[in-house]
């Protein structure tokens, strides 16, 4: 095996995903530098002391469901294997697949998906655009993590093309609504966390136990049709403007890999109710970036933000989601909502970056954007740390296709 190059998938990272090749059916793999470690092949060397049939599954659910004692042990065994190159068995090359030659699949069977609204900067920016600049936050926002139930069936893996949706829109120039393709297609820069443990119906997950229920995190793009959303969202919130597509990274980073990349969350005022209180409220210190590339190849970085800005933490989101007894299941996905930072270059959506479409963004000479156009390619990337210890979350890429007329 040739020496892989450093790519953000170090032995300290080892995210899990599902891959296939022309010769290998979909199965569990671990990203390591420029390679994918075939966990079914590694299991056949006998290094694991648990039921390794889970590595032959086409989703991560069965592996995750074995619990953190097993999933942490599995990562530790892989790390030990990689640290002893002399112990690679004679068939060692069969364990490693070039990532460029592999097909990556949706890594989870997602039963339920919830999207939160946990960035104060984003909520204030949107409130100023849609409602009242002087009272941008609704009265409940600083008391609870606002969320809504999204559509799990339309979550797709990175690289899947996104078809421009159609729906009812009513711009001010129209006296009545019309049915047409959205002209305000947008991205939302988010992190998602994956539930790794079932909870019991009727029993809340205490906030001090919340992270025990989180297997890992992934980069996430919750595509949005702002004109459809604006017309429909009162009184019950997002529906067709959101449920047509969300994109997730093919790689799920175990929470343990991010233990050294934490940052205190911003102050909360007023203090949350007791079930949302925690003595150590930490966010993930993950750098986030969004790049737009046009069909003609013009590219520009639109935004750089950081997950540490989130007002409501993952633990608070999960504790609130279950406080009424709602049960979680392995493979459920909960997303943070758009992550915006304190300055304009750190906003996590075109709605904010273009000030509701009033301030076009220059991509290249003669090329501007307020919202996404057909052929545009959105690339979300994220990383924690720097240098050889940098943890690179898998990218989320999507190309906008024309609406079906």
């Amino acid at each position: 095996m040739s020496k892989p190059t450093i790519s953000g998938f170090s032995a300290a990272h080892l995210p899990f995903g599902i891959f296939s090749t022309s010769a290998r059916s979909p199965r569990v793999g671990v990203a390591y530098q420029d390679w994918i470690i075939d966990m079914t092949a590694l299991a056949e060397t006998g290094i694991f002391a648990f039921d390794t049939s889970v590595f032959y599954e086409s989703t991560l659910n069965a592996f995750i469901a074995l619990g953190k004692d097993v999933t942490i042990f599995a990562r530790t065994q892989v790390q030990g294997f990689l640290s002893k190159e002399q112990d690679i068995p004679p068939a060692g090359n069969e364990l490693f697949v070039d990532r460029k030659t592999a097909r990556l699949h949706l890594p989870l069977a997602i039963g339920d998906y919830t999207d939160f609204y946990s960035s104060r900067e984003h909520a204030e920016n949107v409130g100023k655009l849609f409602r009242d600049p002087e009272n941008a936050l609704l009265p409940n926002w600083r008391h609870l993590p606002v969320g809504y139930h999204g559509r799990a069936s339309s979550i797709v893996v990175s690289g899947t093309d996104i078809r421009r949706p159609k729906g009812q829109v009513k711009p001010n120039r129209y006296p009545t609504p019309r049915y047409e393709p959205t002209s305000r297609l947008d991205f939302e820069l988010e992190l998602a966390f994956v539930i790794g443990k079932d909870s019991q119906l009727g029993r809340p997950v205490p906030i001090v136990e919340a992270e025990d229920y989180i297997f890992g995190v992934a980069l996430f793009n919750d595509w949005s049709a702002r004109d459809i959303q604006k017309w429909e969202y009162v009184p019950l919130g997002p529906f067709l403007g959101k449920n047509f597509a969300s994109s997730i990274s093919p790689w799920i980073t175990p929470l343990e890999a991010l233990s050294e990349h934490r940052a205190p969350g911003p102050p909360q005022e007023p203090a949350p109710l007791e079930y949302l209180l925690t003595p150590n409220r930490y966010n993930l210190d993950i750098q986030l970036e969004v790049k737009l590339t046009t069909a003609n190849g013009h590219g520009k970085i639109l935004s750089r933000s950081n997950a540490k800005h989130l007002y409501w933490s993952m633990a608070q989101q999960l504790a609130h989601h279950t406080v009424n007894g709602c049960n979680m299941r392995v493979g459920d996905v909960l997303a943070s909502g758009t992550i915006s930072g304190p300055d304009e270059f750190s906003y996590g959506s075109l709605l904010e970056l273009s000030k509701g479409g009033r301030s076009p963004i220059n991509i290249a000479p003669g090329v501007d954007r307020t919202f996404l156009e057909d052929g545009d390619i959105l690339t979300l990337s994220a990383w924690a740390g720097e240098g050889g210890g940098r943890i690179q979350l898998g990218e989320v890429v999507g190309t906008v296709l024309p609406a079906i007329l």
Side-chain angles (χ1 to χ4, degrees), residues 8-17 28-33 35-37 39 42 60 63 71-83 96 215 251-258 390-392:
F9 293 118
S10 68
H13 185 186
L14 301 182
F16 289 89
V28 176
V30 167
Y32 173 62
Q33 298 188 359
W35 306 88
I36 297 173
I37 301 173
M39 293 295 283
L42 187 58
L60 293 174
F63 171 61
T71 60
I72 291 173
F73 171 75
R75 281 187 71 245
T76 302
Q77 291 295 95
V78 175
Q79 288 168 331
F81 167 76
L82 292 172
S83 70
F96 294 86
F215 169 72
W251 298 110
I252 311 299
T253 297
L255 197 56
E256 295 74 33
L258 296 165
R390 175 168 164 155
I391 290 178
Q392 183 83 37

Side-chain angles (χ1 to χ4, degrees), residues 48-109:
F48 300 120
F50 56 86
D51 179 6
T52 57
S53 65
V54 295
F55 293 139
Y56 292 85
E57 299 284 340
S58 60
T59 69
L60 293 174
N61 294 55
F63 171 61
I64 293 172
L66 294 178
K68 286 203 172 190
D69 287 347
V70 172
T71 60
I72 291 173
F73 171 75
R75 281 187 71 245
T76 302
Q77 291 295 95
V78 175
Q79 288 168 331
F81 167 76
L82 292 172
S83 70
K84 301 174 183 178
E85 254 188 298
Q86 69 273 18
D87 290 343
I88 294 178
N93 286 346
E94 292 298 314
L95 302 178
F96 294 86
V97 175
D98 188 335
R99 280 199 287 123
K100 294 189 295 293
T101 68
R103 179 184 176 188
L104 300 178
H105 300 267
L106 187 68
L108 304 160

Side-chain angles (χ1 to χ4, degrees), residues 38-234:
D38 184 335
M39 293 295 283
T40 65
L42 187 58
E44 290 172 0
T45 69
I47 73 168
F48 300 120
F50 56 86
D51 179 6
T52 57
S53 65
V54 295
F55 293 139
Y56 292 85
E57 299 284 340
S58 60
T59 69
L60 293 174
N61 294 55
F63 171 61
I64 293 172
L66 294 178
K68 286 203 172 190
D69 287 347
V70 172
T71 60
I72 291 173
F73 171 75
R75 281 187 71 245
T76 302
Q77 291 295 95
V78 175
Q79 288 168 331
F81 167 76
L82 292 172
S83 70
K84 301 174 183 178
E85 254 188 298
Q86 69 273 18
D87 290 343
I88 294 178
N93 286 346
E94 292 298 314
L95 302 178
F96 294 86
V97 175
D98 188 335
R99 280 199 287 123
K100 294 189 295 293
T101 68
R103 179 184 176 188
L104 300 178
H105 300 267
L106 187 68
L108 304 160
I110 303 170
D112 283 299
Y113 156 53
T114 299
D115 192 32
F116 282 92
Y117 194 45
S118 294
S119 163
R120 178 167 181 168
E121 289 83 0
H122 175 66
E124 288 182 331
N125 292 337
V126 172
K128 290 174 183 177
L129 288 169
F130 282 0
R131 289 186 300 274
D132 181 357
E134 300 302 320
N135 295 286
L137 293 178
L138 290 171
N140 64 352
W141 197 91
R142 289 184 295 121
H143 293 272
L144 56 85
V146 174
Y148 74 95
H149 295 287
R151 184 71 183 174
S153 65
S154 55
I155 298 178
V156 296
V157 71
S158 171
T160 305
D161 295 336
I162 304 301
R163 181 72 63 178
R164 182 177 297 275
K166 299 170 72 175
Q168 283 196 30
V169 299
K170 189 188 175 301
N172 293 335
R173 66 184 183 276
Y174 293 172
T176 57
R178 299 189 181 190
Y179 171 64
E180 61 187 32
T182 178
S183 62
R184 295 194 158 209
L185 184 61
D186 201 355
F187 69 88
E188 290 195 342
L189 174 61
E190 306 194 19
L191 283 181
F193 59 97
V194 177
I195 297 300
K197 178 180 177 181
D198 290 348
S199 70
Q200 186 175 341
L201 182 66
R203 290 182 178 268
V205 173
I207 193 165
V208 294
E209 298 177 16
E211 291 199 0
D212 295 337
Y213 286 80
I214 299 173
F215 169 72
V217 300
L219 196 54
F220 196 78
N221 182 356
D222 188 31
W223 302 87
S224 299
R226 299 299 185 184
D227 42 5
I228 297 173
Q229 179 186 358
K230 183 178 179 181
W231 174 236
E232 73 181 1
Y233 87 104
V234 176

Side-chain angles (χ1 to χ4, degrees), residues 141-394:
W141 197 91
R142 289 184 295 121
H143 293 272
L144 56 85
V146 174
Y148 74 95
H149 295 287
R151 184 71 183 174
S153 65
S154 55
I155 298 178
V156 296
V157 71
S158 171
T160 305
D161 295 336
I162 304 301
R163 181 72 63 178
R164 182 177 297 275
K166 299 170 72 175
Q168 283 196 30
V169 299
K170 189 188 175 301
N172 293 335
R173 66 184 183 276
Y174 293 172
T176 57
R178 299 189 181 190
Y179 171 64
E180 61 187 32
T182 178
S183 62
R184 295 194 158 209
L185 184 61
D186 201 355
F187 69 88
E188 290 195 342
L189 174 61
E190 306 194 19
L191 283 181
F193 59 97
V194 177
I195 297 300
K197 178 180 177 181
D198 290 348
S199 70
Q200 186 175 341
L201 182 66
R203 290 182 178 268
V205 173
I207 193 165
V208 294
E209 298 177 16
E211 291 199 0
D212 295 337
Y213 286 80
I214 299 173
F215 169 72
V217 300
L219 196 54
F220 196 78
N221 182 356
D222 188 31
W223 302 87
S224 299
R226 299 299 185 184
D227 42 5
I228 297 173
Q229 179 186 358
K230 183 178 179 181
W231 174 236
E232 73 181 1
Y233 87 104
V234 176
L236 293 181
F239 185 33
L240 302 184
K242 294 279 192 177
N243 69 3
F244 61 93
S246 301
S247 299
I248 193 170
S249 166
W251 298 110
I252 311 299
T253 297
L255 197 56
E256 295 74 33
L258 296 165
S259 60
E260 296 182 5
H261 303 283
R262 298 292 187 113
Q268 292 184 321
E269 178 61 38
L273 296 177
E274 185 175 357
Y275 75 93
L276 291 171
L277 280 176
T278 174
N280 298 304
R281 185 172 58 88
Y282 289 103
N283 287 336
L284 296 173
D285 187 1
I286 296 177
Q287 301 283 344
L288 305 163
E289 184 177 274
V290 181
K291 181 179 181 180
L292 185 150
T293 305
T294 70
N296 292 327
H298 300 297
K300 182 172 183 176
I301 303 297
L302 297 179
S303 173
R304 287 195 177 103
S305 191
N306 193 302
K308 68 183 180 182
H309 297 307
L310 286 172
Y311 187 88
W312 295 105
S313 70
M314 289 187 302
Q316 288 176 316
Q317 291 168 41
L318 181 54
H320 183 65
H321 199 315
T322 63
V323 72
N324 64 345
C326 174
N327 59 315
M328 294 286 114
R329 294 177 296 186
V330 170
D332 287 354
V333 168
L334 280 66
S336 62
T338 305
I339 302 172
S340 294
D343 60 82
E344 291 189 6
F345 189 56
S346 64
Y347 294 167
S349 68
L350 281 169
L351 178 69
E352 300 164 86
L353 291 166
S354 72
K355 296 180 173 60
R358 295 190 295 271
S359 298
I361 302 162
N362 183 249
I363 306 299
V367 181
D368 294 331
R369 289 288 185 275
T370 52
F371 293 96
L372 298 172
E373 296 188 6
D374 295 344
D376 285 348
I377 303 170
L378 250 293
T379 302
L380 276 56
S381 55
W383 64 93
E386 299 296 341
R390 175 168 164 155
I391 290 178
Q392 183 83 37
L393 275 68

